[in-house]
PDB file of all heavy atoms in Angstrom:
ATOM      1  N   ILE A 290     -12.396  30.536  30.544  1.00  0.00           N
ATOM      2  CA  ILE A 290     -11.778  30.488  31.877  1.00  0.00           C
ATOM      3  C   ILE A 290     -11.833  31.861  32.526  1.00  0.00           C
ATOM      4  O   ILE A 290     -12.135  31.990  33.718  1.00  0.00           O
ATOM      5  CB  ILE A 290     -10.324  29.984  31.775  1.00  0.00           C
ATOM      6  CG1 ILE A 290     -10.318  28.477  31.502  1.00  0.00           C
ATOM      7  CG2 ILE A 290      -9.539  30.284  33.042  1.00  0.00           C
ATOM      8  CD1 ILE A 290      -8.938  27.884  31.348  1.00  0.00           C
ATOM      9  N   TRP A 291     -11.563  32.914  31.753  1.00  0.00           N
ATOM     10  CA  TRP A 291     -11.651  34.280  32.289  1.00  0.00           C
ATOM     11  C   TRP A 291     -13.074  34.562  32.792  1.00  0.00           C
ATOM     12  O   TRP A 291     -13.259  35.103  33.878  1.00  0.00           O
ATOM     13  CB  TRP A 291     -11.245  35.280  31.210  1.00  0.00           C
ATOM     14  CG  TRP A 291     -11.344  36.716  31.672  1.00  0.00           C
ATOM     15  CD1 TRP A 291     -12.480  37.470  31.819  1.00  0.00           C
ATOM     16  CD2 TRP A 291     -10.262  37.549  32.092  1.00  0.00           C
ATOM     17  NE1 TRP A 291     -12.183  38.720  32.285  1.00  0.00           N
ATOM     18  CE2 TRP A 291     -10.816  38.805  32.460  1.00  0.00           C
ATOM     19  CE3 TRP A 291      -8.896  37.371  32.174  1.00  0.00           C
ATOM     20  CZ2 TRP A 291     -10.028  39.863  32.907  1.00  0.00           C
ATOM     21  CZ3 TRP A 291      -8.113  38.426  32.620  1.00  0.00           C
ATOM     22  CH2 TRP A 291      -8.670  39.651  32.977  1.00  0.00           C
ATOM     23  N   GLN A 292     -14.057  34.186  31.984  1.00  0.00           N
ATOM     24  CA  GLN A 292     -15.449  34.415  32.377  1.00  0.00           C
ATOM     25  C   GLN A 292     -15.798  33.644  33.652  1.00  0.00           C
ATOM     26  O   GLN A 292     -16.446  34.178  34.556  1.00  0.00           O
ATOM     27  CB  GLN A 292     -16.382  34.015  31.238  1.00  0.00           C
ATOM     28  CG  GLN A 292     -16.280  34.910  30.008  1.00  0.00           C
ATOM     29  CD  GLN A 292     -17.059  34.384  28.823  1.00  0.00           C
ATOM     30  OE1 GLN A 292     -17.496  33.224  28.803  1.00  0.00           O
ATOM     31  NE2 GLN A 292     -17.249  35.221  27.806  1.00  0.00           N
ATOM     32  N   LYS A 293     -15.347  32.385  33.735  1.00  0.00           N
ATOM     33  CA  LYS A 293     -15.647  31.574  34.914  1.00  0.00           C
ATOM     34  C   LYS A 293     -14.978  32.140  36.160  1.00  0.00           C
ATOM     35  O   LYS A 293     -15.567  32.157  37.249  1.00  0.00           O
ATOM     36  CB  LYS A 293     -15.216  30.125  34.687  1.00  0.00           C
ATOM     37  CG  LYS A 293     -16.092  29.363  33.701  1.00  0.00           C
ATOM     38  CD  LYS A 293     -15.787  27.880  33.697  1.00  0.00           C
ATOM     39  CE  LYS A 293     -16.272  27.192  34.952  1.00  0.00           C
ATOM     40  NZ  LYS A 293     -16.143  25.719  34.874  1.00  0.00           N
ATOM     41  N   LEU A 294     -13.724  32.610  36.012  1.00  0.00           N
ATOM     42  CA  LEU A 294     -13.033  33.212  37.154  1.00  0.00           C
ATOM     43  C   LEU A 294     -13.767  34.454  37.631  1.00  0.00           C
ATOM     44  O   LEU A 294     -13.978  34.651  38.841  1.00  0.00           O
ATOM     45  CB  LEU A 294     -11.590  33.575  36.769  1.00  0.00           C
ATOM     46  CG  LEU A 294     -10.538  32.472  36.875  1.00  0.00           C
ATOM     47  CD1 LEU A 294      -9.213  32.962  36.314  1.00  0.00           C
ATOM     48  CD2 LEU A 294     -10.369  32.010  38.313  1.00  0.00           C
ATOM     49  N   SER A 295     -14.146  35.299  36.688  1.00  0.00           N
ATOM     50  CA  SER A 295     -14.860  36.528  37.051  1.00  0.00           C
ATOM     51  C   SER A 295     -16.162  36.214  37.770  1.00  0.00           C
ATOM     52  O   SER A 295     -16.508  36.845  38.775  1.00  0.00           O
ATOM     53  CB  SER A 295     -15.133  37.364  35.798  1.00  0.00           C
ATOM     54  OG  SER A 295     -13.931  37.722  35.159  1.00  0.00           O
ATOM     55  N   ASN A 296     -16.881  35.225  37.282  1.00  0.00           N
ATOM     56  CA  ASN A 296     -18.151  34.845  37.905  1.00  0.00           C
ATOM     57  C   ASN A 296     -17.935  34.240  39.290  1.00  0.00           C
ATOM     58  O   ASN A 296     -18.697  34.511  40.226  1.00  0.00           O
ATOM     59  CB  ASN A 296     -18.905  33.857  37.017  1.00  0.00           C
ATOM     60  CG  ASN A 296     -19.365  34.480  35.710  1.00  0.00           C
ATOM     61  OD1 ASN A 296     -19.535  35.698  35.625  1.00  0.00           O
ATOM     62  ND2 ASN A 296     -19.545  33.672  34.686  1.00  0.00           N
ATOM     63  N   LEU A 297     -16.893  33.421  39.421  1.00  0.00           N
ATOM     64  CA  LEU A 297     -16.629  32.770  40.705  1.00  0.00           C
ATOM     65  C   LEU A 297     -16.359  33.778  41.815  1.00  0.00           C
ATOM     66  O   LEU A 297     -16.828  33.626  42.932  1.00  0.00           O
ATOM     67  CB  LEU A 297     -15.429  31.820  40.577  1.00  0.00           C
ATOM     68  CG  LEU A 297     -15.705  30.419  40.039  1.00  0.00           C
ATOM     69  CD1 LEU A 297     -14.399  29.663  39.847  1.00  0.00           C
ATOM     70  CD2 LEU A 297     -16.605  29.647  40.996  1.00  0.00           C
ATOM     71  N   PHE A 298     -15.601  34.823  41.486  1.00  0.00           N
ATOM     72  CA  PHE A 298     -15.241  35.800  42.509  1.00  0.00           C
ATOM     73  C   PHE A 298     -16.365  36.782  42.810  1.00  0.00           C
ATOM     74  O   PHE A 298     -16.227  37.636  43.684  1.00  0.00           O
ATOM     75  CB  PHE A 298     -13.971  36.550  42.097  1.00  0.00           C
ATOM     76  CG  PHE A 298     -12.728  35.714  42.221  1.00  0.00           C
ATOM     77  CD1 PHE A 298     -11.999  35.351  41.106  1.00  0.00           C
ATOM     78  CD2 PHE A 298     -12.306  35.268  43.465  1.00  0.00           C
ATOM     79  CE1 PHE A 298     -10.865  34.563  41.220  1.00  0.00           C
ATOM     80  CE2 PHE A 298     -11.173  34.484  43.587  1.00  0.00           C
ATOM     81  CZ  PHE A 298     -10.448  34.130  42.473  1.00  0.00           C
ATOM     82  N   GLN A 299     -17.455  36.672  42.072  1.00  0.00           N
ATOM     83  CA  GLN A 299     -18.629  37.483  42.375  1.00  0.00           C
ATOM     84  C   GLN A 299     -19.678  36.700  43.156  1.00  0.00           C
ATOM     85  O   GLN A 299     -20.693  37.245  43.563  1.00  0.00           O
ATOM     86  CB  GLN A 299     -19.245  38.010  41.069  1.00  0.00           C
ATOM     87  CG  GLN A 299     -18.345  39.000  40.340  1.00  0.00           C
ATOM     88  CD  GLN A 299     -18.907  39.398  38.987  1.00  0.00           C
ATOM     89  OE1 GLN A 299     -20.013  38.982  38.614  1.00  0.00           O
ATOM     90  NE2 GLN A 299     -18.178  40.212  38.257  1.00  0.00           N
ATOM     91  N   GLN A 300     -19.402  35.413  43.371  1.00  0.00           N
ATOM     92  CA  GLN A 300     -20.330  34.550  44.088  1.00  0.00           C
ATOM     93  C   GLN A 300     -19.817  34.269  45.492  1.00  0.00           C
ATOM     94  O   GLN A 300     -18.687  34.601  45.840  1.00  0.00           O
ATOM     95  CB  GLN A 300     -20.520  33.237  43.318  1.00  0.00           C
ATOM     96  CG  GLN A 300     -21.058  33.414  41.902  1.00  0.00           C
ATOM     97  CD  GLN A 300     -21.016  32.119  41.112  1.00  0.00           C
ATOM     98  OE1 GLN A 300     -20.570  31.086  41.605  1.00  0.00           O
ATOM     99  NE2 GLN A 300     -21.470  32.161  39.860  1.00  0.00           N
ATOM    100  N   THR A 301     -20.650  33.654  46.290  1.00  0.00           N
ATOM    101  CA  THR A 301     -20.242  33.195  47.618  1.00  0.00           C
ATOM    102  C   THR A 301     -20.121  31.681  47.563  1.00  0.00           C
ATOM    103  O   THR A 301     -21.111  30.956  47.636  1.00  0.00           O
ATOM    104  CB  THR A 301     -21.276  33.594  48.687  1.00  0.00           C
ATOM    105  OG1 THR A 301     -21.441  35.006  48.660  1.00  0.00           O
ATOM    106  CG2 THR A 301     -20.795  33.168  50.066  1.00  0.00           C
ATOM    107  N   PRO A 302     -18.899  31.177  47.415  1.00  0.00           N
ATOM    108  CA  PRO A 302     -18.722  29.730  47.253  1.00  0.00           C
ATOM    109  C   PRO A 302     -18.938  28.973  48.552  1.00  0.00           C
ATOM    110  O   PRO A 302     -18.907  29.552  49.652  1.00  0.00           O
ATOM    111  CB  PRO A 302     -17.267  29.619  46.779  1.00  0.00           C
ATOM    112  CG  PRO A 302     -16.592  30.820  47.347  1.00  0.00           C
ATOM    113  CD  PRO A 302     -17.619  31.909  47.377  1.00  0.00           C
ATOM    114  N   LEU A 303     -19.139  27.665  48.426  1.00  0.00           N
ATOM    115  CA  LEU A 303     -19.301  26.810  49.597  1.00  0.00           C
ATOM    116  C   LEU A 303     -17.950  26.433  50.194  1.00  0.00           C
ATOM    117  O   LEU A 303     -17.826  26.214  51.394  1.00  0.00           O
ATOM    118  CB  LEU A 303     -20.073  25.542  49.216  1.00  0.00           C
ATOM    119  CG  LEU A 303     -21.509  25.756  48.725  1.00  0.00           C
ATOM    120  CD1 LEU A 303     -22.112  24.421  48.290  1.00  0.00           C
ATOM    121  CD2 LEU A 303     -22.357  26.384  49.826  1.00  0.00           C
ATOM    122  N   ASP A 304     -16.929  26.329  49.343  1.00  0.00           N
ATOM    123  CA  ASP A 304     -15.580  26.029  49.814  1.00  0.00           C
ATOM    124  C   ASP A 304     -14.592  26.622  48.812  1.00  0.00           C
ATOM    125  O   ASP A 304     -14.988  27.312  47.872  1.00  0.00           O
ATOM    126  CB  ASP A 304     -15.357  24.519  49.981  1.00  0.00           C
ATOM    127  CG  ASP A 304     -15.666  23.740  48.709  1.00  0.00           C
ATOM    128  OD1 ASP A 304     -15.330  24.244  47.606  1.00  0.00           O
ATOM    129  OD2 ASP A 304     -16.233  22.641  48.791  1.00  0.00           O
ATOM    130  N   ASN A 305     -13.307  26.358  49.026  1.00  0.00           N
ATOM    131  CA  ASN A 305     -12.292  26.961  48.157  1.00  0.00           C
ATOM    132  C   ASN A 305     -11.897  26.075  46.975  1.00  0.00           C
ATOM    133  O   ASN A 305     -11.004  26.430  46.200  1.00  0.00           O
ATOM    134  CB  ASN A 305     -11.039  27.303  48.969  1.00  0.00           C
ATOM    135  CG  ASN A 305     -10.411  26.064  49.623  1.00  0.00           C
ATOM    136  OD1 ASN A 305     -10.710  24.921  49.273  1.00  0.00           O
ATOM    137  ND2 ASN A 305      -9.541  26.302  50.588  1.00  0.00           N
ATOM    138  N   GLN A 306     -12.551  24.935  46.809  1.00  0.00           N
ATOM    139  CA  GLN A 306     -12.107  23.967  45.812  1.00  0.00           C
ATOM    140  C   GLN A 306     -12.285  24.439  44.375  1.00  0.00           C
ATOM    141  O   GLN A 306     -11.378  24.310  43.553  1.00  0.00           O
ATOM    142  CB  GLN A 306     -12.837  22.636  46.027  1.00  0.00           C
ATOM    143  CG  GLN A 306     -12.483  21.951  47.337  1.00  0.00           C
ATOM    144  CD  GLN A 306     -11.011  21.598  47.410  1.00  0.00           C
ATOM    145  OE1 GLN A 306     -10.566  20.649  46.784  1.00  0.00           O
ATOM    146  NE2 GLN A 306     -10.250  22.363  48.172  1.00  0.00           N
TER     147      GLN A 306
END
Side-chain angles (χ1 to χ4, degrees):
I290 286 179
W291 178 284
Q292 292 172 347
K293 288 190 72 172
L294 275 174
S295 300
N296 293 336
L297 276 174
F298 286 114
Q299 294 174 4
Q300 301 171 359
T301 303
L303 297 176
D304 55 39
N305 60 15
Q306 294 298 284

